[in-house]
Amino acid sequence: MDSTLLKYALPALIALAIFATPAAALEQNCRFIQAKPDREACYKRQEEELATKRKPVPATSESKTLESLHQMRQDDDAVYRSINNICRGC
């Protein structure tokens, strides 16, 4: 069992290490570009990629439902406060 684990796990870990490093290097390669316009274009591309990753999630029907329930709760509270101010038996 141990030899089987080493037989498959070790090459898998090596492959993971090899393929994971270029992904990290893609983010760092802009500073090594010598030409200033190319380097600035690289930085701009990276900034746009980060902006697309950070976009807020569009509102779903569940969030709209929660917003409407919150609004109804506020309206109910306002009605209850106005009812309590009515004189009953003046």
Side-chain angles (χ1 to χ4, degrees):
M1 167 108 179
D2 292 330
S3 63
T4 307
L5 180 64
L6 287 176
K7 186 177 181 181
Y8 294 110
L10 189 60
L13 288 174
I14 292 172
L16 180 64
I18 290 171
F19 290 116
T21 34
L26 287 176
E27 295 178 4
Q28 301 292 330
N29 67 356
C30 291
R31 64 181 164 170
F32 298 113
I33 297 174
Q34 295 297 323
K36 185 175 180 177
D38 294 335
R39 185 174 56 243
E40 289 176 351
C42 181
Y43 283 134
K44 186 172 183 171
R45 277 194 308 272
Q46 282 185 351
E47 185 178 318
E48 290 171 355
E49 289 173 6
L50 286 175
T52 57
K53 289 179 183 177
R54 293 180 183 160
K55 273 188 177 177
V57 178
T60 61
S61 62
E62 183 177 317
S63 65
K64 289 179 183 177
T65 304
L66 289 175
E67 288 176 16
S68 64
L69 287 174
H70 183 67
Q71 181 64 36
M72 286 192 304
R73 180 66 179 179
Q74 288 177 344
D75 293 343
D76 288 345
D77 290 340
V79 169
Y80 293 143
R81 275 181 275 156
S82 66
I83 288 175
N84 286 336
N85 292 334
I86 297 175
C87 180
R88 298 182 186 152
C90 294

